[in-house]
Amino acid sequence: MWPEQSSVDIDKLRSIVESASGVSALKYCDRMGSGVPTYDCDVLRKKISSEAVRREVQSELIQNWESGAGIAVFKNAFNEHHLLDQVTESFFAIIDEEKESGQSHGDHFAKPGANDRIWNALEKFCLKDPGLFARYYSNDILALTARAWLGPGYQVTSQVNCVNPGGEAQTGHRDYHLGFMTASQAEGFPLHIHQVSPKLTLQCAIAHVDMPLETGPTLYLPHSQKYDLGYLLAESSEFQDYFSSNCTQLPLEKGDYVVFNPALLHAAGSNESATTRRIANLLQISSPFGRAMESVNRSKMSQVVFPVLCDFLSNGVLSEDQAKHAIACASEGYAFPTNLDRDPPLGGLAPPSQQDLVWKAIVEQWPSDRFDEEISEHDARRLT
């Protein structure tokens, strides 16, 4: 009931990882690489146009993330490479601006100076270029995966990581929530919390450049998400030795999208290339029922994205579904917590969420000043 470091058993981890069964049951997987299912998004997009097939695909993904390899690669999920290049330029501009302002950012699992990091890249990018943000985050494969694991109302946070030539590998670890605690801190949580935490978050990475092996794409240990005491492993030298000897690595291409259970043991690799700055947008997508890793001003993001989405919809730049995908990344999708004295659930079980408000404003073609006023009032009703 109470996990302890003294109970960590590398042999049990080894047994889980090395005796893992195949994944022949994955109907929509196009191919396997190092035991990891890979989906061709040019093919997948045609299949998920059917709601019934989309549900089948999402069920398959859940099965894989929970009891299979724990990780999947979506080839060319971000297939507008000219758009991806523009986003990359925007990320590098933010990195340069923060360096010039004297800001420095550490990394949880790598040595200082090994990389350039943008914390809360979601909000910074949105405020810098809301049009580019809306087009980038309108991605249907991102929405497919997030809704599969977390359902509607998911909360996107983003941290851009650029590993420079010579940047060394991270140590093997799990991610948020318990993965960002020391082992002794994690011991304070009962086993069922260790088991439920991974179900509240989805870990993703969007490759913004080609990542051959010498650039150090992510190292991972397939099936390791199934080991119950995995949050107590990061400080174990025996585990790190095992991870280094048994992890696997797949080269990625620009536009590829990697999605995995946050309990999968993994680490960024060493960039041994001479010139390539390996840049990826790392997404921590959270359940509406949990706490996201970063504080994000979604009201401000909604305000800058709203007029852009109105314009894009009227001019056919985005479809309604694409606009809703972008709203899901920008705006708060859950009605709670709120102040039920000020914000009673009239006409339903819960008051409208911020996403509901954004979409209503788009459908009813509100002017921006009215939308700004309504967003402010929506925020005020949540205050004590």
Side-chain angles (χ1 to χ4, degrees):
M1 298 296 290
W2 296 95
E4 297 178 350
Q5 286 179 270
S6 59
S7 300
V8 166
D9 186 346
I10 300 300
D11 287 335
K12 185 174 181 180
L13 172 67
R14 180 183 292 110
S15 175
I16 290 170
V17 169
E18 297 177 11
S19 65
S21 59
V23 289
S24 57
L26 299 184
K27 176 180 176 181
Y28 295 97
C29 166
D30 293 282
R31 61 185 183 276
M32 300 295 296
S34 301
V36 174
T38 298
Y39 294 83
D40 182 338
C41 289
D42 293 333
V43 175
L44 189 62
R45 281 191 167 95
K46 296 174 183 177
K47 293 179 178 178
I48 62 174
S49 60
S50 160
E51 175 63 26
V53 174
R54 185 183 305 115
R55 284 293 190 187
E56 287 186 6
V57 171
Q58 289 177 318
S59 296
E60 178 172 298
L61 296 175
I62 294 168
Q63 173 194 345
N64 174 61
W65 290 326
E66 191 165 52
S67 57
I71 180 171
V73 177
F74 297 84
K75 297 297 293 182
N76 208 28
F78 287 74
N79 56 358
E80 296 183 60
H81 288 186
H82 63 286
L83 171 65
L84 205 61
D85 289 341
Q86 292 177 55
V87 177
T88 303
E89 290 176 10
S90 184
F91 287 158
F92 278 133
I94 294 171
I95 289 171
D96 291 341
E97 289 165 7
E98 292 188 342
K99 282 184 176 180
E100 290 173 6
S101 69
Q103 298 181 57
S104 61
H105 299 297
D107 187 86
H108 300 293
F109 303 100
K111 293 180 179 179
N115 57 5
D116 294 308
R117 173 80 72 164
I118 306 174
W119 295 118
N120 193 9
L122 188 83
E123 182 179 340
K124 293 172 183 174
F125 173 41
C126 181
L127 300 185
K128 184 177 182 65
D129 195 330
L132 195 57
F133 173 96
R135 291 164 60 205
Y136 178 75
Y137 280 108
S138 67
N139 189 277
D140 54 348
I141 302 299
L142 190 161
L144 174 83
T145 56
R147 289 180 71 98
W149 191 244
L150 302 165
Y154 55 85
Q155 306 165 85
V156 176
T157 57
S158 158
Q159 307 86 37
V160 171
N161 192 30
C162 177
V163 180
N164 300 313
E168 296 181 7
Q170 294 177 328
T171 55
H173 62 278
R174 284 181 170 179
D175 275 319
Y176 187 76
H177 307 76
L178 294 169
F180 287 1
M181 298 182 183
T182 65
S184 60
Q185 289 173 323
E187 285 179 323
F189 292 84
L191 182 60
H192 69 272
I193 299 300
H194 286 241
Q195 295 167 336
V196 77
S197 178
K199 293 178 172 61
L200 296 176
T201 311
L202 191 64
Q203 181 78 7
C204 318
I206 304 163
H208 275 248
V209 295
D210 289 340
M211 298 181 181
L213 293 182
E214 62 266 23
T215 66
T218 301
L219 307 161
Y220 47 84
L221 196 60
H223 299 273
S224 59
Q225 81 281 3
K226 293 178 278 189
Y227 181 53
D228 281 344
L229 302 186
Y231 289 109
L232 306 179
L233 285 171
E235 298 169 19
S236 164
S237 59
E238 184 181 8
F239 160 67
Q240 294 298 343
D241 289 342
Y242 178 75
F243 180 85
S244 298
S245 300
N246 293 275
C247 62
T248 189
Q249 192 173 33
L250 283 178
L252 300 173
E253 298 174 299
K254 182 194 295 184
D256 289 353
Y257 174 57
V258 181
V259 186
F260 55 95
N261 184 321
L264 188 82
L265 292 156
H266 65 281
S270 296
N271 187 348
E272 298 174 353
S273 70
T275 59
T276 302
R277 300 178 73 186
R278 194 187 80 237
I279 183 168
N281 186 12
L282 309 180
L283 305 181
Q284 295 266 358
I285 309 181
S286 298
S287 165
F289 309 137
R291 294 195 182 201
M293 186 173 71
E294 293 182 301
S295 297
V296 179
N297 189 335
R298 298 190 187 275
S299 298
K300 193 171 184 179
M301 291 172 62
S302 299
Q303 287 176 302
V304 299
V305 165
F306 169 70
V308 168
L309 290 177
C310 291
D311 179 62
F312 283 178
L313 282 166
S314 64
N315 291 300
V317 175
L318 296 179
S319 67
E320 285 192 4
D321 281 346
Q322 289 175 317
K324 288 178 179 178
H325 297 337
I327 292 169
C329 295
S331 307
E332 176 58 56
Y334 193 44
F336 302 111
T338 190
N339 182 333
L340 289 169
D341 284 325
R342 298 182 180 185
D343 193 33
L346 301 176
L349 298 176
S353 70
Q354 193 177 75
Q355 288 181 18
D356 294 331
L357 181 62
V358 174
W359 187 246
K360 180 180 180 181
I362 289 174
V363 170
E364 297 181 0
Q365 299 181 332
W366 294 356
S368 289
D369 56 352
R370 179 186 172 186
F371 177 74
D372 291 347
E373 182 179 341
E374 293 281 356
I375 279 284
S376 296
E377 291 180 1
H378 189 266
D379 288 344
R381 288 196 296 272
R382 279 153 178 71
L383 301 177
T384 59

